[in-house]
Amino acid sequence: MRAAAADGGRSMNGPARPGVILDRDGTLIDFVRDAELGAVVSAFHPDHIRLLPGVVQGLALLQDAGFVLAIATNQPGAAKGQIPESAITRTNQALVDALAREGIHIEAVRACLHHPEGGPGGDPTLATDCGCRKPKPGMLLSLVQELGLDPARSWMVGDAAVDVLAARGAGLRAGLLFEWGRCEMCPVRGGFDEIPMIRPDASASRFDELARRLRDSLATAPG
């Protein structure tokens, strides 16, 4: 796992704080869709960044409520030989900068660059079964420690079951953002009795709707 911190990676002292750790693609920004090729991929250039509806409003609400904001994203493109690591770093920084222009402060970013198999032309040092690639909780645990977060009052928010599972592994609450038309999310929408680990603590189809539920959770959270 390689890290990039928006504030230089400083450690926090004092009382533990509530935080929201955010997935990137499908949660904060849209995927890149090539209509000609029929391909849908993660953003790999600053020009690709398109904030999803309700993201700025929702992040502002969370920030005003006192949540620390951070990002944890799986980005295996360099391991698979699809894009260079520098493109991932540059795109992540462009997202942080775009949010800063909207008054949103992202305190830290974690990007897991690994992939278990890698791919042709990929960086072989990144082809590994690491402890940071979601659904494993490594990135989240690192952010909790670095930023001095209170797990009982903190959340992982994403758009896939791996985000919920990572939250469970890190002892955080899980928020899920999804569109009802996504068939791969059917096990999350139903079958909770059969797969309780992927049941989120809160869910919504828009980020600002989900943010309101996270804000309201502070009133009932311990501490």
Side-chain angles (χ1 to χ4, degrees), residues 2 75-85 88 112-128 133:
R2 302 181 190 182
Q75 296 294 333
K80 292 180 176 182
Q82 297 168 336
I83 55 175
E85 180 180 343
I88 298 169
C112 174
L113 305 179
H114 304 120
H115 188 270
E117 290 85 34
D123 182 343
T125 67
L126 298 175
T128 181
R133 179 177 167 86

Side-chain angles (χ1 to χ4, degrees), residues 78-102:
K80 292 180 176 182
Q82 297 168 336
I83 55 175
E85 180 180 343
S86 60
I88 298 169
T89 301
R90 181 175 59 175
T91 304
N92 285 342
Q93 186 59 53
L95 173 58
V96 170
D97 294 342
L99 291 172
R101 289 192 292 272
E102 299 290 344

Side-chain angles (χ1 to χ4, degrees), residues 1 19-23 70-74 108-112 131-151 154-158 161-175:
M1 176 175 58
V20 179
I21 300 173
L22 304 145
D23 177 50
I71 294 172
T73 177
N74 288 349
V109 176
R110 289 286 185 278
C112 174
C132 53
R133 179 177 167 86
K134 294 178 292 182
K136 294 181 180 178
M139 288 191 289
L140 279 60
L141 292 170
S142 174
L143 286 167
V144 167
Q145 181 177 21
E146 175 189 331
L147 300 176
L149 303 184
D150 178 1
S154 297
W155 293 75
M156 171 71 212
V157 171
V162 295
D163 299 305
V164 178
L165 290 168
R168 297 285 175 249
L172 308 179
R173 289 176 164 181

